[in-house]
Amino acid sequence: MARRWTNDLTRSDATPRSVYMNRRQLMAGLGGASLLGVAGRAHAQEELEPNSLEEITSYNNFYEFGTSKTDPKKYADQLTTEPWSIEVDGLVDNPGRFSMEDILSQFDIEERIYRMRCVEAWSMVIPWNGFELADLLSVAGVQDEAKFVAFQTLMRPEEMPGQQYPILEWPYVEGLRMDEAMHPLTIMATGIYGEPMPNQNGAPIRLVVPWKYGFKGIKSIVRITALAEQPPTTWALAAPGVYGFYANVNPNVDHPNWSQATERRVGGGLFSKRRDTLMFNGYEDEVASLYEGMDLTATENI
Ligand SMILES: Nc1nc2c(c(=O)[nH]1)N[C@H]1C(S)=C(S)[C@@H](COP(=O)(O)O)O[C@H]1N2
Ligand SMILES: [Mo]
């Protein structure tokens, strides 16, 4: 049976305007249009036309189920997602375990329509349901010395056959700097289109950071740890110098094997034209200040 929870916005409300004007942003005093940068605004209407559920669930990376983009849809059903809980530990005043039931009842689940962008230069627009990671971190009581947050995916090779092979170091791990983790655009997503998260998209709960490349969006999370030091991250371990800790979408830093200057929308059709990649995936107005003074083309900052 599908779980039910409250959404601030319903599908029929999901016009660009209602998305920009969600309650949290109003409380934060941000202007509606500020969700998009200047370049993004020009394409706002077009950019925020969500992909279909079919598109969103059929072309994914989830290496625990295979390395092909069609494997997650074929095989992720094997994963048992109930019961589920997330352990929160490290430099927090209230370490402990949140069950999915606690999470769904305790936090404000709302719809966020985000542009998403992957290293392979495909993009989608996804109507996530989720809550701000900052809300969970504030319940946990992050201590002053904590400067980073680490995330870990479930390790269960019986159900995640990819983990039986050394394709990546398992379990998949990711991390954010504390200010990135606390940013209101950073959400823990529990659903898509008002339905519980499809397994291939990271059921029952995954990270979404819309100004970063897709691999930062770690799926099926079982542990969140507050740390003083920058944690290791799976793709930076796999290919140091190619994938970095920050992984901000940046048209000026190419992947060694292809350009990141343009992108193609999944489902845009065979003749859809490539469009320019936007700095920070179009969220420049919101997040550029986090990186002031950093050279985002330097290898240590990619
Ligand atoms: N645990 C885990 N999370 C993961 C991955 C993975 O292989 N394992 N792949 C990442 C990559 S490379 C991308 S592009 C996104 C793709 O999935 P999505 O379209 O559902 O965001 O998931 C990310 N999260
Ligand atoms: Mo990716």
Side-chain angles (χ1 to χ4, degrees):
M1 213 166 68
R3 271 205 203 90
R4 298 204 160 271
W5 59 87
T6 50
N7 270 323
D8 279 20
L9 299 172
T10 64
R11 282 298 311 139
S12 55
D13 291 327
T15 61
R17 183 183 153 77
S18 65
V19 173
Y20 305 154
M21 301 294 274
N22 80 47
R23 183 169 43 76
R24 195 60 62 96
Q25 282 143 2
L26 284 173
M27 277 165 49
L30 299 175
S34 75
L35 234 192
L36 291 172
V38 175
R41 213 169 290 145
H43 298 293
Q45 192 70 42
E46 183 193 12
E47 289 285 332
L48 282 169
E49 189 58 49
N51 281 88
S52 69
L53 186 63
E54 177 65 19
E55 288 159 354
I56 294 167
T57 56
S58 305
Y59 193 76
N60 308 98
N61 277 333
F62 200 165
Y63 274 27
E64 285 84 341
F65 298 101
T67 56
S68 151
K69 306 253 186 290
T70 49
D71 286 339
K73 181 183 176 155
K74 276 189 219 154
Y75 304 119
D77 271 359
Q78 306 169 54
L79 178 64
T80 312
T81 58
E82 283 186 26
W84 196 275
S85 62
I86 296 184
E87 182 166 2
V88 180
D89 63 0
L91 300 172
V92 293
D93 292 336
N94 312 305
R97 204 170 262 287
F98 289 88
S99 70
M100 266 320 278
E101 289 72 21
D102 295 340
I103 288 171
L104 292 172
S105 62
Q106 193 168 342
F107 299 109
D108 279 336
I109 312 284
E110 57 185 22
E111 181 170 82
R112 297 287 186 92
I113 301 185
Y114 282 164
R115 266 195 309 282
M116 306 298 293
R117 171 63 153 77
C118 296
V119 272
E120 301 95 330
W122 44 277
S123 66
M124 286 197 221
V125 174
I126 302 184
W128 301 107
N129 308 98
F131 62 93
E132 293 179 13
L133 174 59
D135 292 348
L136 186 151
L137 293 174
S138 77
V139 172
V142 171
Q143 297 169 357
D144 286 345
E145 317 83 79
K147 304 297 180 210
F148 294 89
V149 183
F151 306 84
Q152 202 177 100
T153 292
L154 176 73
M155 182 72 187
R156 192 183 285 161
E158 320 86 84
E159 291 184 0
M160 299 172 126
Q163 292 181 336
Q164 296 167 19
Y165 305 91
I167 324 164
L168 293 171
E169 282 188 39
W170 308 112
Y172 196 103
V173 289
E174 258 304 336
L176 294 172
R177 213 171 57 190
M178 189 58 71
D179 56 348
E180 299 176 322
M182 291 294 199
H183 194 281
L185 285 173
T186 302
I187 58 169
M188 297 294 289
T190 56
I192 296 174
Y193 275 114
E195 297 292 335
M197 187 65 72
N199 277 16
Q200 58 266 48
N201 293 85
I205 183 164
R206 51 87 53 89
L207 180 68
V208 174
V209 192
W211 70 93
K212 293 179 180 284
Y213 288 114
F215 67 85
K216 297 297 286 184
I218 178 173
K219 297 177 169 181
S220 306
I221 294 170
V222 292
R223 189 172 180 196
I224 298 179
T225 307
L227 299 166
E229 306 293 334
Q230 182 176 305
T233 56
T234 290
W235 280 100
L237 289 170
V242 176
Y243 306 112
F245 177 81
Y246 286 95
N248 293 312
V249 174
N250 189 340
N252 307 313
V253 178
D254 288 337
H255 186 280
N257 303 338
W258 56 80
S259 165
Q260 294 291 19
T262 62
E263 65 185 41
R264 197 185 289 277
R265 171 70 43 82
V266 168
L270 205 52
F271 304 105
S272 78
K273 64 175 193 304
R274 297 186 75 91
R275 59 186 86 201
D276 290 344
T277 300
L278 302 174
M279 187 65 199
F280 298 114
N281 203 26
Y283 297 97
E284 188 167 16
D285 285 359
E286 288 67 38
V287 302
S289 62
L290 298 179
Y291 308 103
E292 245 163 41
M294 281 173 73
D295 174 4
L296 294 177
T297 63
T299 305
E300 66 272 19
N301 293 334
I302 60 167

